[in-house]
Amino acid sequence: MAETTLTDTAASTARPAGWRGIAADWSSDQRAFKNVSWGKAMMWIFLLSDTFIFSCFLLSYMTTRMSTTVPWPNPGEVFALTIGDKKIPLILIAIMTFILISSSGTMAMAVNFGYRRDRVRTAALMLATAAFGATFVGMQAFEWTKLIREGVRPWGNPWGAEQFGSSFFMITGFHGTHVTIGVIFLIAIARKVWRGDFDVERRGFFTSRKGYYEIVEITGLYWHFVDLVWVFIFALFYLW
């Protein structure tokens, strides 16, 4: 009788073959997310949805640029800065890109120290990442101010195709909003880490479980995604 029961149980939990097995994995949540927390899984799902939005923006931009009959402005001229008597193309964008990529390094180290329960270094590196992000947003605000003073608007610009202005403000503005949200989230989590909320099980947002430093990694996933999106924006909007 016992052998029959074990055989029936094994048969009932056996993975179906083919596409039915894949559907059973994802729908039952027994194998696909067996070793993944809900927080991390939900962040991945959010990032996937955000990927679709950014992809639509960039595809719309490329379609608009290739279909317009009016000459498209040269990014090397539009985004050039005059230093002394010399005009340097894309210098500000290059610095912004370097800063954002550097912030991925500090965020990765913060996650590493977080799992080591080194709260001082984790908080310090998260604050350094937030400082890089705030610097990026500040430089983007300077870039916006410069172009607005030069006559760039969502409905036109003095250098060519009118769609350039709307594409620029839509894509960079949406990305800048993500960076700003990330900076706020980094500061909030770094404060909790610094106070030791994750060690004493202090009640509050993201700190209800003792020793639960995974939120640092979840924050890192969001931040790395924001950095990766900027690489595509840099390549398609500024270099093309």
Side-chain angles (χ1 to χ4, degrees), residues 89-103:
L90 298 176
I91 182 64
L92 180 65
I93 311 303
I95 296 173
M96 291 167 61
T97 304
F98 175 78
I99 288 174
L100 209 56
I101 291 176
S102 299
S103 71

Side-chain angles (χ1 to χ4, degrees), residues 4-178:
T4 304
T5 304
L6 290 174
T7 303
D8 293 341
T9 303
S12 62
T13 58
R15 182 181 185 275
W19 288 104
R20 291 185 177 181
I22 297 174
D25 282 349
W26 287 82
S27 61
S28 64
D29 193 32
Q30 295 298 312
R31 298 181 180 88
F33 296 118
K34 187 173 182 180
N35 297 318
V36 179
S37 68
W38 273 114
K40 193 184 294 186
M42 291 303 101
M43 177 55 74
W44 277 114
I45 292 173
F46 167 75
L47 295 181
L48 179 62
S49 65
D50 229 19
T51 300
F52 292 144
I53 298 175
F54 275 109
S55 298
C56 289
F57 282 172
L58 291 174
L59 286 172
S60 299
Y61 160 73
M62 289 187 289
T63 302
T64 301
R65 180 166 178 177
M66 289 186 294
S67 61
T68 182
T69 57
V70 181
W72 197 264
N74 183 2
E77 297 177 2
V78 176
F79 300 105
L81 280 183
T82 303
I83 301 177
D85 295 329
K86 192 174 182 181
K87 225 175 184 181
I88 305 178
L90 298 176
I91 182 64
L92 180 65
I93 311 303
I95 296 173
M96 291 167 61
T97 304
F98 175 78
I99 288 174
L100 209 56
I101 291 176
S102 299
S103 71
S104 275
T106 56
M107 188 68 240
M109 289 189 289
V111 173
N112 185 21
F113 283 113
Y115 278 112
R116 294 182 186 182
R117 306 290 178 87
D118 190 338
R119 62 185 183 86
V120 175
R121 291 184 180 179
T122 301
L125 286 166
M126 292 185 76
L127 290 175
T129 305
F132 279 131
T135 303
F136 175 88
V137 174
M139 297 178 77
Q140 193 171 64
F142 171 81
E143 178 191 34
W144 274 43
T145 303
K146 173 181 175 294
L147 292 182
I148 290 173
R149 287 178 177 174
E150 292 174 351
V152 179
R153 299 290 187 273
W155 52 85
N157 71 91
W159 295 293
E162 296 181 350
Q163 297 93 331
F164 173 82
S166 58
S167 300
F168 169 75
F169 288 119
M170 178 184 65
I171 294 174
T172 61
F174 194 64
H175 179 265
T177 302
H178 278 69

